[in-house]
Amino acid sequence: MTINWFKYASPASFYFLAGRMLPYFTALAITLLIVGLYIGFFVAPTDFQQGEAYRIIFIHVPAAWMSMFLYVVMAFWAGVGLAFNTRLSSMVASAIAPTGAMFAFLALWTGAWWGKPMWGTWWVWDARLTSELILFFLYIGFMSLQAAIDDPKRADKAGAVIALVGVVNVPIIYFSVQWWNTLHQGASVSLVQSPKMATAMLSGMLIMTLAAWMYSIVIILIRTRLIILERERHTAWVSELKEGVLE
Amino acid sequence: MLTARNLECIRGEHKLFSNIFFSVNPGELMFVGGPNGSGKTSLLRLLCGLSSPDSGEILWNGMDIRDLDGDYRGMMTYLGHLGGIKDDLTALENLRISCALADCEIDENQAADALGQIGLAGREMLPAKVLSQGQRRRVALARLLVVQTRLWILDEPLTALDTAAVKLIKEILEHNLSKGGMVIMTTHQEIVMTAAAVHHLTLS
Amino acid sequence: MIWWIVKRDLLLAMRRRSDVLTTLFFFIIVVSLFPLGVGPEPSILRTMASGVVWVAALLASMLSLGRMFSSDYADGTLEQMLLSPVSLAALVTGKAISHWLVTGVPLVLMAPVLGIQYDLAGDALLVLTLSLLLGTPVLSLIGAIGAALTLGLRGGGVLVSILVLPLYIPVLIFGTGAVEASSAGMEFGAHFSILGALLLVSIVFSPWATAASLRISMS
């Protein structure tokens, strides 16, 4: 059986496909979240060095991973939209940005909460935290640029350029922050300290990562559907949808 | 030959025009008319490749202008209603730089000649900011005397010009048409020109 | 062709000298404010010097980005550049070079004087100046992308800072790193090599990305 992928590249068919997929991903996200949190809070053993406070990594680490992963995914779809002029991919890219920024912010926030009991200070200029902060800035830049442009076509393309420039720069920024950090040895504290993690810790973290992944898919699908409705509000199919003709 | 097929242009949520078909052959002139806001400037910007149509295609001798890219731009001169004139540069400097941008470098004597022909003799060394609106327009139009392009796309070239200048521009355009050039222009003024054929495209 | 653009922009800058001087004085004033904020203790000033001068240079270079394309945009010259048969990337390179000559070079020349205010030693002064010489062209090249993307947008000036300042970070790190390394008596050649590499990468990629951005903004 061959699937006609281009069929789903049209915003209208994607809208309905996404609508059908949403319940499954929502169910997956909730289940994984409950299982992951249960393992994180009740199954995983107390860390002998860090006590109970370490449990924040079950949110912190997945959030940090997702924020980086989503930036690459966003730049990929934005780039596809720029190269092949596919409107849907640009819409997906715009839908990803707020979720990515949210995860970057969450990673910074939980990093601070963890830092206070661990290092006795809310913020250290650790290489990873600093890179995460810059990643957060890059998300903000992408969103502000798109918000400032009224014409959606120009907003899509301009956003794509800045996302791609960001992707080229992320490794350079990461590398330079690492270098900077080793130069200023004072504040270097590694976030994941214990080399041997208990299996329960590791599996909890992986399940939480999957949960974050599913959550991202759910939110991005919902947001893409909203963007589609907004952009296509003058088309026939959206009017029919409003009148309840289509289901 | 410039051919447009089924052009459509959408600005925001407003459809400016659609189903535009035409072709302009060597020696032919096309007037683009229509009320304000009907998309005349947008159409000219599509034709010179500054923006791309929402559907349809524009062909130069059978090839899409987007594929021809720099080759097409080397064949075409566009004058928008912004003349590209810098206030702080003299008329001469303005002309030389705009020609250099069109990849047609000229020396000071050639530039002074062209400015003299277009009626700016003695004003070559004045900064553009002291020139009147019509004189600035003449500086921009002087480029047409120098360039060697086939296709001229002109957006309201006659605005702010006096009758003598209008007559002069008419002669320049007719000269280009007689050499087998093509002219596509918008204007609100009645002007009669001789050409192999004169088309009228009216946008509503 | 690049030469025509550079010549024209320098000519324009010469006829509007106040624009160049504003950027330079902004740089001088920002650098001079810091001692008033943190106190005149020479040892503190010495450690801060490279960072303060570099951050001020980033800000000064960024503030002048708005002018890079906006006047050409307003008077229609930019349209003519986009329609030129010459490659737009080459024209954009010319614009970035002239932006650097007009805003970057004065900062480089001023840096030693400001370094003296901060009690920097002769070696460190030299390294600071050289690091700015290598780093400021990168700022102009990267900034050109931001300037092109925000062309004609309301609030473009603030937006351009959000877009380009994060991208300036590597230049800041290695520029200040070179000065610190030399003050600590360490080898600073590596920093210069990396600044040079950043310059090469941005010479290759930035004109191309800027040209694409201009076409997007103008369509």
Side-chain angles (χ1 to χ4, degrees):
Chain A
M1 192 184 80
T2 55
I3 303 170
N4 182 6
W5 289 105
F6 282 103
K7 191 180 148 212
Y8 297 110
S10 113
S13 20
F14 181 85
Y15 179 86
F16 295 108
L17 179 72
R20 280 200 299 279
M21 294 191 315
L22 265 176
Y24 303 106
F25 282 114
T26 313
L28 261 177
I30 293 173
T31 318
L32 285 167
L33 186 70
I34 292 171
V35 173
L37 285 178
Y38 180 78
I39 295 178
F41 281 102
F42 301 107
V43 180
T46 307
D47 190 89
F48 73 99
Q49 272 183 326
Q50 310 181 19
E52 300 295 344
Y54 90 95
R55 291 187 196 274
I56 197 121
I57 63 163
F58 290 112
I59 298 194
H60 175 79
V61 175
W65 281 347
M66 275 322 280
S67 66
M68 291 177 220
F69 175 65
L70 284 177
Y71 192 85
V72 178
V73 176
M74 176 183 88
F76 171 77
W77 284 119
V80 169
L82 184 66
F84 302 107
N85 215 0
T86 43
R87 285 178 302 150
L88 183 62
S89 15
S90 305
M91 294 185 204
V92 171
S94 319
I96 292 174
T99 305
M102 188 277 288
F103 275 121
F105 183 74
L106 193 65
L108 290 171
W109 184 287
T110 52
W113 268 4
W114 191 40
K116 190 62 183 167
M118 290 301 117
W119 310 322
T121 166
W122 293 111
W123 181 262
V124 291
W125 287 96
D126 167 72
R128 274 179 240 219
L129 277 177
T130 311
S131 305
E132 191 68 39
L133 182 66
I134 297 166
L135 184 67
F136 180 63
F137 292 157
L138 291 179
Y139 274 119
I140 297 296
F142 177 86
M143 291 193 288
S144 327
L145 180 64
Q146 290 211 319
I149 304 176
D150 292 327
D151 175 22
K153 270 183 276 179
R154 180 179 166 191
D156 284 346
K157 291 180 178 171
V161 171
I162 202 68
L164 291 173
V165 170
V167 154
V168 173
N169 268 276
V170 161
I172 301 176
I173 293 174
Y174 189 76
F175 165 73
S176 55
V177 170
Q178 287 282 344
W179 175 301
W180 166 80
N181 193 243
T182 42
L183 204 73
H184 303 256
Q185 271 300 332
S188 84
V189 185
S190 169
L191 274 192
V192 185
Q193 272 176 333
S194 43
K196 271 186 291 177
M197 261 201 283
T199 327
M201 283 187 199
L202 192 65
S203 57
M205 214 147 80
L206 288 178
I207 291 174
M208 284 302 285
T209 306
L210 281 177
W213 203 328
M214 293 307 128
Y215 163 83
S216 307
I217 292 179
V218 170
I219 295 296
I220 290 164
L221 286 182
I222 293 176
R223 205 176 282 121
T224 310
R225 271 163 62 99
L226 291 177
I227 296 175
I228 291 175
L229 284 188
E230 197 191 341
R231 297 246 186 119
E232 306 257 298
R233 62 183 175 280
H234 296 289
T235 58
W237 73 270
V238 177
S239 318
E240 283 171 25
L241 195 70
K242 245 190 311 199
E243 286 152 20
V245 181
L246 289 172
E247 193 35 59
Chain B
M1 183 176 76
L2 186 76
T3 313
R5 272 199 224 141
N6 198 21
L7 288 187
E8 180 181 65
C9 177
I10 301 169
R11 277 285 164 270
E13 289 159 14
H14 180 61
K15 187 181 281 187
L16 278 177
F17 51 77
S18 57
N19 293 320
I20 302 280
F21 289 84
F22 63 80
S23 59
V24 179
N25 293 303
E28 294 183 353
L29 165 72
M30 185 170 85
F31 285 113
V32 180
N36 291 334
S38 60
K40 297 188 293 292
T41 298
S42 298
L43 176 66
L44 296 194
R45 288 171 63 87
L46 292 186
L47 294 181
C48 63
L50 274 174
S51 46
S52 32
D54 291 279
S55 69
E57 49 186 2
I58 303 162
L59 308 172
W60 174 255
N61 293 336
M63 307 250 278
D64 197 303
I65 60 166
R66 268 173 294 180
D67 300 332
L68 287 169
D69 208 35
D71 293 337
Y72 175 66
R73 292 197 293 271
M75 223 92 72
M76 185 233 14
T77 298
Y78 170 75
L79 275 181
H81 51 96
L82 297 167
I85 301 298
K86 288 262 172 239
D87 278 346
D88 290 323
L89 298 181
T90 67
L92 194 85
E93 288 161 344
N94 266 308
L95 178 60
R96 286 192 68 200
I97 283 161
S98 68
C99 288
L101 272 180
D103 205 17
C104 157
E105 291 184 24
I106 54 172
D107 60 32
E108 291 199 3
N109 294 330
Q110 286 168 296
D113 271 357
L115 289 173
Q117 276 185 57
I118 205 127
L120 289 173
R123 295 194 170 74
E124 299 93 341
M125 300 315 265
L126 290 179
K129 62 184 158 207
V130 306
L131 296 179
S132 75
Q133 206 56 35
Q135 286 171 328
R136 293 163 65 94
R137 197 76 209 157
R138 288 181 192 221
V139 177
L141 287 162
R143 183 147 56 95
L144 295 178
L145 291 167
V146 184
V147 291
Q148 301 291 326
T149 49
R150 308 276 317 275
L151 172 64
W152 293 358
I153 299 177
L154 312 172
D155 196 359
E156 297 288 349
L158 307 178
T159 317
L161 293 183
D162 56 24
T163 38
V166 170
K167 189 163 165 286
L168 196 66
I169 299 305
K170 178 170 139 40
E171 281 164 17
I172 297 172
L173 297 186
E174 282 175 343
H175 178 65
N176 179 47
L177 290 164
S178 69
K179 283 191 307 184
M182 288 158 255
V183 176
I184 297 174
M185 62 186 283
T186 60
T187 176
H188 285 295
Q189 277 168 273
E190 281 300 318
I191 176 170
V192 182
M193 276 201 268
T194 32
V198 179
H199 306 278
H200 287 271
L201 178 73
T202 308
L203 303 172
S204 50
Chain C
M1 196 61 230
I2 294 180
W3 172 232
W4 266 100
I5 298 280
V6 174
K7 209 167 73 174
R8 185 202 69 151
D9 280 9
L10 291 184
L11 195 62
L12 284 169
M14 285 308 292
R15 296 204 179 144
R16 291 218 172 233
R17 257 161 267 162
S18 62
D19 284 358
V20 183
L21 291 176
T22 347
T23 310
L24 185 59
F25 276 109
F26 172 83
F27 178 62
I28 296 171
I29 290 172
V30 169
V31 174
S32 309
L33 282 179
F34 276 83
L36 300 173
V38 298
E41 180 56 46
S43 63
I44 297 177
L45 290 182
R46 257 196 306 274
T47 48
M48 283 178 37
S50 62
V52 169
V53 172
W54 258 102
V55 169
L58 297 193
L59 295 177
S61 167
M62 186 203 78
L63 278 179
S64 57
L65 282 177
R67 282 203 304 274
M68 196 185 244
F69 296 115
S70 61
S71 74
D72 285 340
Y73 175 66
D75 65 22
T77 314
L78 197 56
E79 267 177 2
Q80 298 298 341
M81 290 185 183
L82 261 65
L83 292 175
S84 168
V86 183
S87 104
L88 183 57
L91 300 180
V92 163
T93 313
K95 293 293 291 180
I97 292 174
S98 45
H99 178 263
W100 176 68
L101 289 173
V102 169
T103 62
V105 171
L107 305 188
V108 175
L109 296 177
M110 205 58 189
V113 182
L114 296 174
I116 290 171
Q117 279 192 331
Y118 280 72
D119 198 31
L120 275 186
D123 288 357
L125 277 181
L126 184 68
V127 175
L128 175 67
T129 312
L130 287 177
S131 72
L132 281 165
L133 187 65
L134 265 176
T136 44
V138 184
L139 305 183
S140 296
L141 284 162
I142 297 178
I145 305 176
L149 285 174
T150 54
L151 197 61
L153 298 181
R154 56 197 141 71
V158 185
L159 193 56
V160 86
S161 60
I162 294 180
L163 293 182
V164 302
L165 284 179
L167 305 178
Y168 281 175
I169 289 168
V171 183
L172 172 67
I173 288 176
F174 291 106
T176 52
V179 184
E180 283 170 34
S182 97
S183 310
M186 288 191 295
E187 179 56 43
F188 52 83
H191 294 83
F192 278 168
S193 307
I194 291 172
L195 279 178
L198 290 175
L199 179 57
L200 285 179
V201 170
S202 44
I203 285 177
V204 173
F205 285 109
S206 153
W208 180 74
T210 310
S213 309
L214 281 178
R215 290 203 189 279
I216 290 167
S217 297
M218 291 292 286
S219 69

